[in-house]
Amino acid sequence: MSFLSFLLGEKKTSASVAKDRLQLILINERRGSSAGPDFLPQLQQELVAVISKYVKINPDDIKVNLERQDSLEVLEVKIEMPQPEASA
Amino acid sequence: MSFLSFLLGEKKTSASVAKDRLQLILINERRGSSAGPDFLPQLQQELVAVISKYVKINPDDIKVNLERQDSLEVLEVKIEMPQPEASA
C-alpha cells in the first residue's frame, strides 16, 4: 500500500485537530473512446449526495478538485468531518 | 500530479486493447472518532450504482478492493469499459 503513504503523507503536525477525513478520488481514463460528454461534475454531485447519507457533511468542508491531463480526468473530493469536541 | 503517474503507471503494453477505465478510490481516515459502523461496503454499492447511471458497467468488469490499516480504510473500485470494436 505504498501509494497510501504517498497520498496521505501530508503534514500531520496539528495533532490537536483530530478530524475524520473522507477522500474520494475518481479517475476517468479514456483510452478507447474519443472524448464523450463530460459527466464528472454532475457525477461528483451525486456521489457526494450518496456519501452524505452515511456521514454528516458540512458543505463548507468539501473541497473539490478536477484535473485533466490528456485522456485522463481526475476528480478529487476531500471531506473533513469535525468531531464534536466533547460528547456526553 | 505526480501521484497520477504512480497510480496509473501500470503496464500499458497491450496497446491493441484500448479500454476506458474508471477508478474510484475512497479513503476513510478516522482520526477523531473511534471506529464507528463500517459503512464502506454499502456505500461502495451505492456509489457504483450512481456511476452506472453515467457509464455502462458490466458487473463482471468491476474489481473491488478494500484495505484497512490502522485508522485508515481504503476502498478501491476499478471499472473497465470495453468499447465496441467497430462503431458505424
Side-chain angles (χ1 to χ4, degrees):
Chain A
M1 291 261 288
S2 52
F3 86 87
L4 260 194
S5 49
F6 186 94
L7 282 178
L8 299 165
E10 299 163 1
K11 50 275 167 194
K12 292 193 179 182
T13 46
S14 55
S16 61
V17 185
K19 291 183 177 180
D20 286 2
R21 295 196 309 177
L22 197 64
Q23 191 172 357
L24 176 76
I25 301 172
L26 194 62
I27 302 172
N28 188 22
E29 190 180 8
R30 285 175 172 157
R31 292 193 289 182
S33 64
S34 54
D38 183 12
F39 58 83
L40 277 194
Q42 194 174 350
L43 175 56
Q44 168 240 316
Q45 289 188 10
E46 287 207 47
L47 293 178
V48 170
V50 167
I51 292 173
S52 67
K53 289 163 57 179
Y54 291 87
V55 295
K56 282 188 186 173
I57 296 179
N58 182 343
D60 294 337
D61 293 332
I62 300 179
K63 287 179 190 162
V64 177
N65 184 38
L66 177 61
E67 298 203 30
R68 293 169 211 273
Q69 179 182 305
D70 300 331
S71 61
L72 210 58
E73 286 175 306
V74 178
L75 176 74
E76 190 183 13
V77 182
K78 286 187 179 183
I79 302 169
E80 287 207 345
M81 292 165 286
Q83 294 299 303
E85 287 297 317
S87 55
Chain B
M1 291 272 289
S2 52
F3 86 87
L4 261 194
S5 49
F6 186 95
L7 283 178
L8 298 165
E10 299 163 2
K11 51 275 168 195
K12 293 192 178 184
T13 46
S14 55
S16 61
V17 185
K19 292 182 178 180
D20 287 1
R21 294 197 309 176
L22 196 64
Q23 191 171 356
L24 175 76
I25 302 171
L26 193 63
I27 303 171
N28 188 21
E29 191 180 7
R30 285 174 171 157
R31 293 193 289 183
S33 64
S34 54
D38 183 12
F39 58 83
L40 277 194
Q42 195 174 350
L43 175 55
Q44 169 241 316
Q45 289 189 10
E46 288 206 44
L47 293 178
V48 171
V50 167
I51 292 173
S52 67
K53 290 164 57 179
Y54 291 86
V55 295
K56 281 189 185 172
I57 297 179
N58 181 342
D60 294 337
D61 292 331
I62 300 180
K63 288 180 189 163
V64 177
N65 184 37
L66 177 60
E67 297 204 31
R68 293 169 210 272
Q69 179 182 304
D70 299 332
S71 59
L72 211 58
E73 286 174 309
V74 178
L75 176 73
E76 189 182 14
V77 181
K78 287 187 180 184
I79 303 169
E80 287 207 346
M81 293 165 286
Q83 295 297 305
E85 286 298 316
S87 55

